[in-house]
């Protein structure tokens, strides 16, 4: 964080951010239980182990939240009942819409990942373009601030650009992909359609081990090319890695961080093994323990306070009691 002091200063001096803070303060002040000091303390808890980065003219504190200032952030702020005080409704999570929603565009995928969360679903006909666009409009009208497009492999949808273009600036548009078929030309089309963020899955820094975990040869090289293509097209690019016990125990998670930085990614998301899909009956012993989750959280803290350029995000930190 200290390394990015210039970005932090710009964030604090941005007139739009000061106006946003005044708006939030004015609304929250209607509740006698609210104090400005508490809000500042809460903001510090959220931001202190993050790396604040520029994002399309705004600032991204966490990729699990919309950037500030933005219309998408105001979508998040207003998506509460509004019957009592906004402060109390936010504090008690009385939301009228989720912060984020993820739309599985297809069950098709050329890979066979050992941790696939899509496996086991009943496969029916895919929604056509008009139905997906209608769904996106309904999610935005509901107040969803982040809309993620996933699968299966969403790159297999020929209408992907049309679907992305249906997401207006009330929500952040985000794509999750293995990188299959994502070259510079396709990345440019997605950016032109309005895509803002993309997460590319890379499961290991060793190409052979990554291909093994993905169940397909050349999966590693395809993902690396996709990261480069997305970054060159001006899309905020993330590498997503499922941190298994062996990656964490061997400290190889740091090799993953360095790989993502060398590829030019803006951010690496470190996720956890989850009992879903192929891992639905995963033994409890294969899940990260509380102590291991704490160690993973410490990775984010150490990385973001270091001189590394890449932003490191750990979901275990995002949902931790310390943040809330």
């Amino acid at each position: 964080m200290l390394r990015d002091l210039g970005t932090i200063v710009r964030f604090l001096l941005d007139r739009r951010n000061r106006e946003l803070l005044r708006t939030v303060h004015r609304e929250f002040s209607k509740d006698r239980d609210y104090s400005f000091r508490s809000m500042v303390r809460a903001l510090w808890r959220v931001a202190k182990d993050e790396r604040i980065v520029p994002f399309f003219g705004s600032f991204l504190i966490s990729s699990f939240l919309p950037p500030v200032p933005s219309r998408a952030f105001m979508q998040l702020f207003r998506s509460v009942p509004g019957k009592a005080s906004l402060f109390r409704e936010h504090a008690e999570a009385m939301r009228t819409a989720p912060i984020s929603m993820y739309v599985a565009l297809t069950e098709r995928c050329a890979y066979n990942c050992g941790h696939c969360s899509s496996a086991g679903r009943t496969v029916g006909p895919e929604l056509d373009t008009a139905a997906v666009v209608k769904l996106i409009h309904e999610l935005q009208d509901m107040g969803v601030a982040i809309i993620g497009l996933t699968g299966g492999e969403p790159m297999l949808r020929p209408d992907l650009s049309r679907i992305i273009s249906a997401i207006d600036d009330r929500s952040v548009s985000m794509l999750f992909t293995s990188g299959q078929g994502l070259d510079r030309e396709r990345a440019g089309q997605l950016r032109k359609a309005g895509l803002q963020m993309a997460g590319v899955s890379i499961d290991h820094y060793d190409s052979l081990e990554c291909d093994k975990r993905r169940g397909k040869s050349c999966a590693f090289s395809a993902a690396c090319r996709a990261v480069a293509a997305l970054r060159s097209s001006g899309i905020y690019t993330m590498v997503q890695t499922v941190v298994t016990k062996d990656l964490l125990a061997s400290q190889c998670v740091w090799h993953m961080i360095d790989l993502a930085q060398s590829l030019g990614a803006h951010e690496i998301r470190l996720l956890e093994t989850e009992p879903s899909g192929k891992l639905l009956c995963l033994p409890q012993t294969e899940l990260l323990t509380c102590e291991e989750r704490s160690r993973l959280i410490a990775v984010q803290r150490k990385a973001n306070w270091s001189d590394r350029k890449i932003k490191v995000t750990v979901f275990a930190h995002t949902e931790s009691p310390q943040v809330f």
Side-chain angles (χ1 to χ4, degrees):
M1 181 177 282
L2 292 177
R3 187 182 185 282
D4 302 298
L5 188 59
T7 301
I8 296 171
V9 170
R10 291 198 302 274
F11 174 81
L12 294 174
L13 295 180
D14 191 299
R15 177 186 55 80
R16 300 168 303 163
N17 287 336
R18 296 199 304 273
E19 179 57 37
L20 175 61
L21 188 62
R22 281 194 290 268
T23 298
V24 173
H25 174 62
R26 184 169 58 249
E27 294 288 349
F28 282 2
S29 294
K30 297 174 184 178
D31 192 306
R32 63 184 180 184
D33 293 330
Y34 162 81
S35 74
F36 182 76
R37 179 182 176 184
S38 293
M39 182 173 72
V40 171
R41 185 173 60 187
L43 292 173
W44 171 249
R45 282 180 177 271
V46 170
K48 71 182 180 71
D49 292 325
E50 297 282 359
R51 170 161 280 155
I52 300 175
V53 295
F55 182 89
F56 297 102
S58 298
F59 298 88
L60 194 69
I61 299 173
S62 168
S63 57
F64 288 102
L65 296 170
V68 291
S70 68
R71 193 179 178 198
F73 182 84
M74 294 310 297
Q75 176 98 312
L76 178 155
F77 181 64
R78 298 295 183 190
S79 293
V80 291
K83 296 179 180 179
S85 81
L86 291 185
F87 168 72
R88 184 168 300 280
E89 290 171 349
H90 275 284
E92 297 180 1
M94 299 169 63
R95 301 195 55 77
T96 56
I99 296 173
S100 57
M101 288 284 284
Y102 301 91
V103 181
L105 298 178
T106 180
E107 298 295 339
R108 291 176 290 149
C109 183
Y111 292 1
N112 186 26
C113 302
H115 56 270
C116 179
S117 62
S118 178
R121 296 179 188 166
T122 301
V123 179
E126 295 177 2
L127 294 178
D128 61 24
T129 307
V132 176
V133 169
K134 180 176 182 291
L135 173 61
I136 285 172
H137 291 163
E138 290 174 347
L139 292 177
Q140 291 203 281
D141 291 343
M142 182 195 300
V144 175
I146 298 174
I147 296 179
L149 304 174
T150 181
E153 175 50 67
M155 289 298 300
L156 294 176
R157 291 278 304 225
D159 57 352
L160 183 57
S161 292
R162 170 68 186 94
I163 291 170
I164 290 170
S165 67
I167 305 173
D168 64 41
D169 64 355
R170 290 176 294 169
S171 309
V172 176
S173 56
M174 189 180 298
L175 174 71
F176 297 98
T177 177
S178 65
Q180 178 188 2
L182 215 173
D183 56 18
R184 293 194 177 215
E185 180 181 1
R186 193 79 190 277
Q189 293 170 354
L190 298 180
R191 179 68 193 101
K192 186 176 180 180
L195 182 65
Q196 294 174 295
M197 306 179 75
V200 180
S201 296
I202 302 180
D203 296 320
H204 205 278
Y205 60 89
D206 179 82
S207 60
L208 294 179
E209 179 62 26
C210 182
D211 288 351
K212 178 182 177 182
R213 296 188 182 200
R214 297 255 110 191
K216 190 174 181 66
S217 62
C218 299
F220 179 82
S221 58
C224 292
R225 288 194 299 270
V227 171
L230 290 163
R231 176 67 193 252
S232 67
S233 298
I235 296 168
Y236 185 86
T237 307
M238 303 175 290
V239 167
Q240 297 204 137
T241 299
V242 176
V243 179
T244 53
K245 281 179 173 285
D246 61 321
L247 274 177
L248 185 60
S250 62
Q251 294 291 299
C252 288
V253 65
W254 292 101
H255 294 319
M256 282 302 313
I257 293 171
D258 292 338
L259 169 67
Q261 179 169 294
S262 70
L263 293 175
H266 297 92
E267 177 178 336
I268 180 170
R269 277 184 170 189
L270 301 177
L271 311 175
E272 298 175 55
T273 302
E274 298 288 351
S276 62
K278 288 185 179 179
L279 302 181
L280 188 60
C281 298
L282 189 71
Q284 186 70 28
T285 54
E286 293 299 314
L287 301 177
L288 296 187
T289 64
C290 291
E291 188 273 333
E292 287 170 328
R293 292 188 100 219
S294 296
R295 284 166 50 199
L296 190 57
I297 290 171
V299 168
Q300 172 174 331
R301 183 177 302 114
K302 182 178 180 180
N304 284 340
W305 281 90
S306 74
D307 61 357
R308 285 179 170 82
K309 295 179 180 179
I310 192 168
K311 177 180 175 68
V312 177
T313 298
V314 173
F315 188 60
H317 168 269
T318 301
E319 64 175 10
S320 67
Q322 290 79 8
V323 171
F324 281 93

